[in-house]
Amino acid sequence: MRKIIAKIVLVIPVVVMGGTRAYAYDVANGFTLDGFGYQDYRQTSANRVDYVGQTGNGVHNFLGLLMVGQLTDRSKLWAQLQANTTNHPNFTWLFLDWQFTDSVTGHVGRVKFPFGLINEYIDNKALQMTLTLPFAVSESADMTYDSYTGVGLDWNTPDTPWGNSLLQGFFGNTYTSPAPILATTYPNNPPVAIGPASATQMQPTTDLHLLGGRVTWNTPLTGLRFMLSGSVTEVGLQPLALTPANYASLMTREYRLMYSAEYRRDGLWVQSEYNLHRFPGGAGYVGIDADSAYVQAGVTVGKFLPYIRAQTVVTNQNLSSNPNFYQQQWSVGSNYALLANLNVRLELDRNHGFAMPIASQGSPYYPPGAMLAPGGGVPALNWNEVGVEMNFTF
Amino acid sequence: MKRSRIKVASYGFAVWGGLSALMILPAHAQLVAIVNKTVHISHSEVVRIYRSEMNGYKPFMLGDKAAQDDFDRHYLGLARDDLKYLQDRALYAGRSLPPKIVDSVDQMLDAVANTPNGVGYVPLQNVTEQVRIVPENQDGSGNTWR
């Protein structure tokens, strides 16, 4: 606990130095710098979850820097550098944009993945309502990507009586870690058969030929917007038991579709998304048939923003009654704005099922002997999580 | 003694703060949206630009908080927090930069006049020949929103 306090104390001066600054630093003519980050502590009553350590609790740190260089009147270079508890500093994305006309912009490089609502600013907790991310944008469960490498085009449509839209299309490649929800067994549970007995365990290696788009509709009702995002990728599969015979490249297609809605105005903030992830099974490998949805709402009361969220995920529709593959969660929490750019959060989550702990551990890719429940034992069907977070921008 | 010194200091800061604000923007000024002379856009497009729903333009905003709130609420139809959320969302998604802050009306006029695709807002009485006023209504009539 002392270590946590010491780390928080170290971070606060950095934030306070920023004061109530609201916009980017103009470091040099045409070059701006924005910083953001968070630090949190989370503890579970049972089961291990994403980033939460062996004993069921964990501290996470994140620091990000967004750099934008104006190259010409029509072109900018964007880069986001980030570091966190588990990864070395790296560029999340780095791309060049070009303004073709007043309403058409192109992108090339490693571009932020325009998919859904929260995924677009997933790294910046200051822009989010809740402490824990919705399952629907979970990277552990392979629900979305962070970025793609390729080209994209944005088109802002003209105004109409029905509002206006932003249409985005993109093409390229994306790289993901092996999708853990192909997991069939869990060390503390009896094996779960999710495919034919002869099925070979496979892990996706590279997602290629990503093709997708998003439509954002800003309705005439100020503050209300809807989005529809979709993508398809070709996925190379690699058998877990690698032999020359089965190494023959297996390619399949992976589909994602996301529906998003948001209303934010005068202190009321409501967000909802539904994500559908399909990875059709085939000879020699098992597919993915996952769905996730959430709705969350918060109301600003002075410096407080209390909120509530309900969400569900099923990581395999064929086994939707098995708690390895489903999870429902109710969350309540509140934000408190200490400063214009410094916010603290407290959140309580009540869970039924443990699909996300399974997904985040990546069994059976996780080293043998890994325990879902702290200290081993059978995972708990009903369990709680509590978290406290401080997030900031500077 | 101590308390009275603090009081005097507080009054001093209040008077200085008030004067500073007056130097930036006269009270109850009627703000109008202005654009670079080469730009021809409508009122609703100005709204979209400040909400970061439209790329290709270079918006500016006054550093004066009262003027920001007035413009945000009455012209753009959103509270400052809601507007900042839209601008930050677009920034961190790598879509568009938020408006640049300028410290005074004179700086705003210069910035808009000298920046291709520049967009801003100033009190009606400060508008010069350097910039163009964006009509409030669709038919081009009117030039303020209150």
Side-chain angles (χ1 to χ4, degrees):
Chain A
M1 193 64 187
R2 273 187 185 171
K3 276 186 181 173
I4 299 165
I5 292 167
K7 282 180 181 173
I8 290 171
V9 168
L10 281 174
V11 167
I12 284 175
V14 175
V15 173
V16 173
M17 276 163 63
T20 54
R21 194 199 125 266
Y23 288 96
Y25 288 107
D26 262 314
V27 176
N29 193 24
F31 179 76
T32 59
L33 181 66
D34 285 271
F36 59 98
Y38 71 89
Q39 185 162 54
D40 74 22
Y41 174 83
R42 289 156 58 181
Q43 181 148 0
T44 59
S45 62
N47 302 341
R48 296 175 48 183
V49 292
D50 196 9
Y51 300 125
V52 176
Q54 191 79 44
T55 56
N57 59 60
V59 177
H60 318 108
N61 306 295
F62 182 99
L63 187 66
L65 291 174
L66 174 61
M67 295 162 274
V68 187
Q70 187 85 43
L71 304 180
T72 71
D73 273 353
R74 292 197 165 270
S75 179
K76 293 187 287 294
L77 181 69
W78 298 73
Q80 181 177 299
L81 182 66
Q82 69 175 54
N84 61 29
T85 313
T86 49
N87 294 320
H88 293 298
N90 64 89
F91 282 100
T92 326
W93 39 267
L94 196 161
F95 66 89
L96 197 70
D97 74 9
W98 187 268
Q99 192 81 42
F100 291 107
T101 70
D102 290 345
S103 57
V104 178
T105 311
H107 312 275
V108 61
R110 187 170 180 181
V111 187
K112 185 70 190 164
F113 193 52
F115 199 83
L117 192 66
I118 287 182
N119 187 58
E120 203 175 38
Y121 46 86
I122 194 166
D123 300 320
N124 192 340
K125 297 297 281 289
L127 287 176
Q128 292 164 30
M129 188 191 306
T130 61
L131 190 150
T132 52
L133 285 167
F135 302 149
V137 296
S138 165
E139 238 183 288
S140 305
D142 200 23
M143 297 302 266
T144 59
Y145 303 110
D146 206 16
S147 59
Y148 68 89
T149 304
V151 293
L153 210 59
D154 293 2
W155 177 43
N156 293 103
T157 67
D159 273 329
T160 70
W162 305 280
N164 58 71
S165 300
L166 169 65
L167 309 182
Q168 295 170 281
F170 46 87
F171 176 75
N173 293 333
T174 183
Y175 302 94
T176 56
S177 53
I181 54 176
L182 286 176
T184 56
T185 60
Y186 173 67
N188 291 326
N189 270 359
V192 180
I194 61 170
S198 60
T200 309
Q201 284 284 308
M202 303 258 185
Q203 60 178 346
T205 52
T206 310
D207 292 9
L208 297 165
H209 305 145
L210 166 75
L211 180 66
R214 183 177 71 174
V215 180
T216 303
W217 174 36
N218 299 305
T219 70
L221 179 62
T222 303
L224 179 65
R225 65 190 61 84
F226 297 98
M227 289 177 180
L228 188 64
S229 320
S231 76
V232 56
T233 48
E234 283 187 355
V235 182
L237 292 170
Q238 176 181 298
L240 287 182
L242 192 63
T243 67
N246 63 17
Y247 186 70
S249 181
L250 279 166
M251 297 297 285
T252 186
R253 285 214 165 92
E254 188 170 15
Y255 303 90
R256 288 180 175 83
L257 188 68
M258 196 166 206
Y259 164 79
S260 316
E262 178 179 49
Y263 178 77
R264 181 176 164 140
R265 193 176 183 190
D266 294 334
L268 176 62
W269 193 7
V270 184
Q271 294 178 310
S272 182
E273 294 192 280
Y274 168 73
N275 193 352
L276 177 150
H277 180 196
R278 293 285 181 272
F279 185 76
Y285 63 94
V286 180
I288 293 173
D289 197 358
D291 294 79
S292 183
Y294 74 89
V295 57
Q296 60 191 29
V299 180
T300 303
V301 184
K303 290 191 166 190
F304 289 92
L305 172 64
Y307 61 83
I308 186 167
R309 178 178 64 197
Q311 63 174 333
T312 179
V313 64
V314 176
T315 53
N316 191 315
Q317 291 293 345
N318 298 323
L319 291 155
S320 57
S321 59
N322 184 319
N324 282 285
F325 301 101
Y326 74 75
Q327 189 171 332
Q328 290 120 33
Q329 187 187 71
W330 279 96
S331 305
V332 291
S334 184
N335 294 268
Y336 179 76
L338 279 172
L339 295 171
N341 56 346
L342 177 63
N343 180 56
V344 289
R345 260 182 204 137
L346 176 71
E347 182 177 300
L348 303 168
D349 306 306
R350 176 71 177 156
N351 294 282
H352 177 72
F354 38 87
M356 296 312 287
I358 288 279
S360 68
Q361 284 192 93
S363 172
Y365 308 113
Y366 204 82
M371 295 293 129
L372 179 66
V378 177
L381 182 63
N382 296 302
W383 51 287
N384 303 318
E385 187 178 348
V386 61
V388 60
E389 175 191 286
M390 178 184 68
N391 58 66
F392 52 88
T393 55
F394 61 93
Chain B
M1 184 65 182
K2 225 178 198 179
R3 195 173 281 176
S4 62
R5 269 187 197 166
I6 293 170
K7 250 186 181 174
V8 170
S10 307
Y11 288 138
F13 280 121
V15 170
W16 175 248
L19 284 173
S20 306
L22 284 173
M23 285 160 69
I24 293 169
L25 192 68
H28 310 298
Q30 288 193 324
L31 296 170
V32 287
I34 54 169
V35 290
N36 184 283
K37 280 214 150 179
T38 59
V39 175
H40 297 269
I41 54 175
S42 65
H43 163 264
S44 63
E45 284 168 320
V46 173
V47 174
R48 288 181 67 187
I49 290 164
Y50 278 93
R51 289 182 188 174
S52 292
E53 292 171 358
M54 221 172 146
N55 282 334
Y57 294 90
K58 305 274 175 2
F60 294 91
M61 62 190 278
L62 287 168
D64 179 61
K65 195 173 176 309
Q68 280 177 21
D69 289 344
D70 200 4
F71 185 73
D72 297 347
R73 174 61 76 182
H74 295 106
Y75 196 97
L76 306 176
L78 282 173
R80 177 100 288 270
D81 279 357
D82 296 332
L83 188 70
K84 187 169 184 308
Y85 167 71
L86 294 179
Q87 292 168 348
D88 282 352
R89 208 183 62 158
L91 171 69
Y92 288 99
R95 281 206 310 273
S96 66
L97 293 172
K100 267 192 175 176
I101 294 179
V102 291
D103 293 329
S104 67
V105 169
D106 286 344
Q107 280 185 22
M108 175 69 90
L109 287 164
D110 281 348
V112 173
N114 297 317
T115 307
N117 281 359
V119 183
Y121 54 89
V122 292
L124 179 59
Q125 66 267 28
N126 292 91
V127 176
T128 65
E129 291 288 309
Q130 297 173 280
V131 294
R132 181 197 303 280
I133 294 178
V134 179
E136 181 190 359
N137 303 321
Q138 295 292 335
D139 62 2
S141 65
N143 52 22
T144 65
W145 64 93
R146 58 178 190 179

